[in-house]
């Protein structure tokens, strides 16, 4: 059925031609004259004219069997499928076929589906896609739960409020508005596009430089007028090599870190490379964690105002992510394949791309970095021109459905004497209560309704009961959870106060680890120990000493002569490991036990 070829010449006219002919007949023209003018058989016109007069809603407008479901039922299924896809819960063809079978069974619709597999056939699925051209089979992109739930109206409105406040106060033009973000490029990029291969081959591969490549971080920036700042490369190594900078983009700078990631020092390096005055600079959420007091002071001294985008919203609010990084990585992947083919033909150059990343990136960067992509990225994000209504309620629907529990909708039930298809929460349940209910005599003569009549039972069960939207469970309140980040003006005074508090906390913690101050820890219960102490009378007696005083070792206890301090004051020996020593509470010198000396 999937490769069926039409074998008849019947109905070689279009549906529009048939409708025009039927309209002409209804206006008073003769059927035979209309048949000659439109080229449609007279009997066909009479049959369709009778169908149009008797049936207003036809299941099928073509030859062959009519579809299993009516137009309204298929439209309901299609709308639910599209709704689930918008909420990041798209279904597979197998799931749709299973739901179609259940939908026909529970609503007692006559069908020809396979009862052994309990699903609709592949022919029905292909016909369903043809009848609903606004649905197609696509490969989804994995989206984290944090990214779905973080893009909500509250966070987006806060970002645009900060943005409008800064733009209104400083009167920035588009040439002073920049967006900066980092991305990763690999020595073995992801394969782009399909390749030609012999039919029937199960395994088909392509040449790459490494099985698992190394990732290099690249920091890019662009203005609202499409002006690109030369990128910064971060290589995963301990020492920088001049070979890594060979034939790179003009004006680029290079550095290296242990893992190849950006950090505070690298960010300061990029700011010095930027060296722009009186410009607005947008910072992605991972960069906002790199902001410290030195960076804050540097930005204030150079007139740079930074506004952070809400975390996990770069796929909607980041201009570089919207229009630049996708084409850049595709172009970089193609250039890697071409460059590797040229290197293989010349064995003296080697087969790896470790020292050629900058050269390959330059070709892809010059192909993609243009004014059009920069301007369209800011317009698509609603940053410039400023458009806080760029994100609609439909964009916030996934976060709303995931973060809050949806209200229970009325579940429609099919009219049936039995309740085997009723949902569990609406099915008549026997009472388990042992509490007695007083019987009140009724004065009305109306008959008492039965148990099944107490439930509202419309014509059919909707598809939403078989394809429900998953509901997020309420999370437990956890202690010591990392504080949630929001959009902030990173160069404002309140944010500076937060930085100072973090810096002071970090310093106190470092000093506590070094033993310089007593950190805020729970004090242990003081205990009493019995130890021998030498006195001036040379008579040893057992006294009670505070444990804290014994364990304390401050500068007052230090002895000027370290060599004498390490020796026993009685025998002069340094002693061995794991043996008992005694310390004098007056002079602070140590000695072996009496038995050893």
């Amino acid at each position: 059925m999937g490769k069926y070829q039409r074998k008849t010449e019947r109905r070689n006219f279009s549906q529009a031609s048939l409708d025009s002919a039927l309209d002409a007949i209804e206006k008073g023209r003769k059927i035979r004259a209309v048949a000659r003018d439109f080229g449609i058989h007279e009997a066909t016109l009479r049959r369709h004219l009778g169908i149009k007069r008797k049936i207003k809603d036809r299941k099928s407008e073509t030859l062959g069997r009519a579809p299993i479901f009516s137009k309204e039922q298929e439209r309901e299924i299609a709308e639910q499928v599209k709704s689930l896809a918008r909420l990041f819960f798209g279904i597979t063809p197998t799931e749709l076929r299973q739901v179609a079978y259940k939908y026909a069974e529970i609503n007692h619709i006559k069908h020809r589906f396979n009862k052994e597999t309990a699903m609709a056939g592949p022919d029905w699925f292909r016909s369903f896609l043809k009848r609903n051209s606004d649905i197609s089979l696509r490969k989804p992109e994995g989206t984290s739960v944090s990214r779905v739930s973080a893009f909500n109206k509250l966070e987006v409105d806060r970002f645009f409020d900060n943005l409008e406040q800064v733009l209104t106060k400083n009167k920035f033009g588009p040439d002073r508005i920049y967006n900066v973000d980092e991305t990763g490029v690999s020595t073995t990029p992801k394969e782009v596009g399909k390749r030609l291969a012999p039919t029937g081959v199960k395994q088909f591969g392509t040449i790459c430089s490494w099985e698992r490549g190394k990732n290099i971080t690249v920091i890019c920036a662009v203005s609202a007028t499409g002006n690109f700042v030369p990128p910064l490369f971060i290589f995963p190594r301990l020492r920088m090599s001049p070979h890594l900078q060979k034939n790179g983009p003009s004006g680029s700078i290079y550095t290296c870190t242990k893992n190849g990631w950006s950090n505070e020092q690298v960010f300061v390096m990029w700011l010095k490379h930027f060296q722009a005055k009186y410009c607005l600079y947008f910072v992605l959420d991972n960069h906002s964690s790199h902001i410290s007091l030195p960076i804050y002071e540097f930005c204030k001294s150079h007139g740079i105002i930074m506004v952070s985008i809400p975390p996990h919203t770069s796929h909607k609010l980041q201009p570089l992510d919207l229009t630049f990084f996708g084409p850049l990585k595709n172009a970089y992947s193609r250039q890697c394949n071409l460059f590797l083919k040229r290197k293989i033909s010349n064995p003296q150059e080697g087969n790896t791309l470790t020292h050629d990343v900058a050269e390959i990136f330059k070709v892809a960067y010059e192909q993609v970095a243009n004014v059009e992509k920069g301007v369209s990225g800011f317009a698509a994000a609603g940053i410039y021109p400023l458009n806080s209504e760029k994100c609609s309620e439909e964009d916030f629907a996934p976060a709303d459905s995931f973060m809050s529990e949806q209200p229970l909708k009325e579940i429609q039930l099919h009219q049936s004497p039995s309740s085997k298809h009723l949902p569990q929460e609406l099915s008549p349940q026997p009472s388990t209560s042992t509490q007695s209910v007083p019987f009140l005599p009724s004065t009305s003569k109306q008959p008492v309704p039965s148990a099944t009549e107490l439930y509202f039972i419309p014509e059919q069960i909707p598809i939403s009961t078989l394809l429900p939207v998953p509901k997020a469970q309420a999370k437990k309140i956890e202690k010591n959870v990392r504080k949630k980040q929001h959009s902030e003006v990173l160069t404002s005074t309140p944010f500076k106060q937060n930085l100072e508090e973090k810096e002071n906390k970090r310093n106190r913690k470092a000093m506590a680890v070094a033993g310089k101050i007593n950190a805020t820890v729970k004090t242990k219960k003081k205990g009493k120990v019995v130890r021998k102490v030498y006195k001036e009378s040379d008579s040893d007696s057992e006294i009670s000493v505070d444990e804290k005083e014994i364990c304390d070792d401050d500068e007052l206890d230090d002895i000027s002569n370290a060599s004498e301090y390490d020796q026993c004051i009685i025998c002069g020996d340094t002693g061995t490991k794991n043996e008992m020593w005694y310390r004098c509470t007056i002079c602070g010198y140590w000695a072996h036990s009496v038995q050893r000396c």
Side-chain angles (χ1 to χ4, degrees):
M1 288 294 293
K3 299 180 181 179
Y4 175 76
Q5 300 292 332
R6 182 180 174 90
K7 300 180 179 63
T8 179
E9 296 297 330
R10 297 175 60 191
R11 194 181 175 114
N12 54 1
F13 50 85
S14 63
Q15 183 64 34
S17 178
L18 177 60
D19 293 339
S20 301
L22 295 177
D23 292 340
I25 295 173
E26 290 181 345
K27 291 179 180 180
R29 294 189 61 185
K30 299 295 183 180
I31 295 180
R32 291 183 179 179
V34 173
R36 287 194 301 269
D37 294 342
F38 287 88
I40 303 175
H41 198 274
E42 178 185 347
T44 302
L45 289 176
R46 293 183 185 276
R47 184 176 72 255
H48 281 276
L49 185 62
I51 294 174
K52 187 175 181 180
R53 290 173 179 175
K54 294 181 181 180
I55 305 175
K56 294 183 179 181
D57 186 14
R58 294 166 289 174
K59 269 191 174 183
S60 176
E61 297 176 349
T62 58
L63 295 177
R65 291 177 176 177
I68 302 297
F69 305 110
S70 63
K71 288 183 178 179
E72 287 77 10
Q73 291 169 341
E74 279 212 352
R75 191 178 301 112
E76 181 186 3
I77 297 174
E79 291 298 329
Q80 186 67 10
V81 170
K82 291 187 291 184
S83 177
L84 289 172
R86 296 188 192 100
L87 299 177
F88 297 90
F89 292 107
I91 61 174
T92 62
T94 303
E95 293 174 344
L96 179 60
R97 290 163 57 190
Q98 293 173 348
V99 169
Y101 176 84
K102 295 178 181 178
Y103 185 63
E105 282 285 321
I106 202 171
N107 289 302
H108 304 284
I109 300 174
K110 188 178 180 180
H111 62 84
R112 300 177 297 275
F113 298 149
N114 192 336
K115 294 185 178 181
E116 293 182 359
T117 59
M119 62 169 45
D123 295 332
W124 174 87
F125 176 72
R126 283 190 288 266
S127 301
F128 174 80
L129 294 182
K130 289 181 180 179
R131 292 188 294 268
N132 299 274
S133 58
D134 55 346
I135 298 177
S136 60
L137 191 61
R138 300 183 61 181
K139 184 178 180 180
E141 181 180 356
T143 307
S144 65
V145 175
S146 300
R147 190 172 291 274
V148 174
S149 59
F151 188 76
N152 54 73
K153 186 173 178 59
L154 183 63
E155 295 291 341
V156 174
D157 288 346
R158 180 171 180 173
F159 165 70
F160 278 104
D161 290 342
N162 293 334
L163 181 59
E164 184 177 4
Q165 176 186 356
V166 172
L167 289 177
T168 304
K169 181 179 179 181
N170 299 277
K171 306 296 182 181
F172 290 122
D175 58 328
R176 297 295 185 181
I177 304 175
Y178 279 81
N179 169 231
V180 62
D181 190 17
E182 61 183 19
T183 187
V185 294
S186 175
T187 55
T188 56
K190 184 179 179 181
E191 182 64 24
V192 177
K194 296 182 178 180
R195 306 295 178 91
L196 298 176
T199 303
V201 176
K202 294 184 178 180
Q203 293 183 348
F204 174 61
T206 183
I207 291 294
C208 62
S209 59
W210 299 76
E211 291 292 337
R212 295 181 60 184
K214 295 182 179 180
N215 289 325
I216 294 93
T217 303
V218 183
I219 299 180
C220 301
V222 62
S223 69
T225 56
N227 179 33
F228 284 84
V229 178
L232 181 148
F233 292 83
I234 308 173
F235 293 91
R237 53 189 297 135
L238 298 179
R239 289 178 296 275
M240 194 62 197
S241 172
H243 298 287
L244 300 174
Q245 308 176 17
K246 182 182 62 176
N247 299 330
S250 301
S252 300
I253 56 177
Y254 306 86
T255 185
C256 58
T257 59
K258 185 176 181 180
N259 51 14
W261 298 348
S262 176
N263 53 32
E264 181 180 336
Q265 291 75 20
V266 173
F267 195 49
V268 172
M269 181 180 179
W270 190 92
L271 284 174
K272 294 179 180 179
H273 167 66
F274 188 49
Q275 289 294 329
K277 294 186 178 181
Y278 305 107
C279 64
L280 179 62
Y281 168 42
F282 295 97
V283 184
L284 186 59
D285 53 339
N286 58 345
H287 278 173
S288 62
S289 61
H290 297 160
I291 304 301
S292 60
L293 283 175
I295 296 179
Y296 177 89
E297 298 296 340
F298 179 88
C299 294
K300 295 295 287 186
S301 61
H302 289 79
I304 299 177
I305 298 178
M306 297 188 292
V307 178
S308 65
I309 294 176
H312 308 294
T313 60
S314 59
H315 62 295
K316 293 286 188 179
L317 301 177
Q318 185 80 256
L320 287 170
D321 277 349
L322 291 175
T323 59
F324 181 68
F325 281 151
L328 176 66
K329 290 188 176 182
N330 290 337
Y332 174 78
S333 179
R334 291 192 295 268
Q335 293 300 324
C336 282
N337 293 331
L338 295 176
F339 196 86
L340 184 61
K341 291 178 181 178
R342 293 196 298 267
K343 292 198 69 172
I344 292 177
S345 61
N346 188 3
Q348 297 179 356
E349 297 184 4
N351 297 329
T352 61
L353 305 179
T354 305
H355 294 85
D356 304 312
V357 172
E359 182 177 356
I360 299 172
F361 187 87
K362 176 185 178 181
V363 180
Y365 187 79
E366 293 177 349
Q367 291 178 357
V368 179
N370 52 54
V371 175
E372 181 183 0
K373 283 187 170 49
V375 174
S376 60
F378 279 86
I383 296 177
Y384 191 87
L386 185 62
N387 183 13
S388 59
E389 303 297 331
K390 189 69 175 181
C391 302
S392 61
E393 295 296 334
E394 184 178 346
D395 297 327
F396 301 132
D400 296 339
S401 64
F402 193 86
M403 295 175 61
S404 61
E405 192 168 348
Q406 294 291 335
L408 295 176
K409 300 180 180 179
E410 285 189 15
I411 300 181
Q412 301 176 352
L413 307 177
H414 192 280
Q415 286 184 348
S416 174
S418 63
S419 60
K420 62 180 180 178
H421 296 304
L422 299 181
Q424 185 175 2
E425 61 269 15
L426 295 182
S427 301
Q429 300 291 340
S431 177
T432 58
S433 176
T434 57
Q435 183 179 2
S436 61
V437 179
F439 175 76
L440 297 177
S442 176
T443 58
S444 176
K445 296 182 179 180
Q446 296 180 355
V448 179
S450 61
T452 56
E453 292 176 350
L454 292 176
Y455 297 92
F456 175 68
I457 304 180
E459 294 183 356
Q460 67 178 13
I461 296 178
I463 193 65
S464 58
T465 60
L466 302 176
L467 280 176
V469 178
K471 300 175 183 178
Q473 299 293 335
K475 293 184 178 180
K476 297 181 179 179
I477 300 177
E478 300 179 356
K479 296 182 180 180
N480 300 327
V481 180
R482 183 180 180 182
K483 186 178 179 181
K484 186 177 180 181
Q485 296 181 355
H486 308 278
S487 174
E488 299 284 352
V489 180
L490 302 180
T491 52
S492 61
T493 302
F495 192 79
K496 179 183 179 181
Q497 296 175 355
N498 295 335
L499 292 178
E500 291 175 346
E501 292 178 0
K502 292 181 180 179
E503 187 70 20
N504 294 335
K505 185 178 180 180
R506 189 182 299 111
N507 293 337
R508 288 196 302 268
K509 185 176 181 180
M511 294 175 66
V513 173
K516 299 299 181 181
I517 63 173
N518 294 325
T520 56
V521 295
K522 296 182 179 180
T523 57
K524 297 182 179 180
K525 185 178 180 181
K526 295 182 179 180
K528 298 292 183 177
V529 297
V530 178
R531 88 178 263 182
K532 295 181 179 180
V533 181
Y534 289 101
K535 292 186 177 181
E536 295 180 354
S537 59
D538 294 336
S539 62
D540 46 293
S541 61
E542 296 184 358
I543 61 173
S544 296
V545 183
D546 192 354
E547 181 182 3
K548 184 177 180 181
E549 295 180 358
I550 297 176
C551 297
D552 284 345
D553 186 13
D554 53 16
E555 296 178 355
L556 299 177
D557 295 333
D558 294 341
I559 302 175
S560 58
N561 193 347
S563 59
E564 296 180 0
Y565 175 75
D566 294 337
Q567 298 175 358
C568 177
I569 60 175
I570 298 177
C571 64
D573 192 7
T574 56
T576 59
K577 295 182 179 180
N578 299 326
E579 66 176 358
M580 180 64 69
W581 280 59
Y582 295 90
R583 185 178 185 182
C584 179
T585 58
I586 299 176
C587 63
Y589 285 94
W590 292 81
H592 293 294
S593 62
V594 180
Q595 291 82 0
R596 187 183 186 283
C597 294

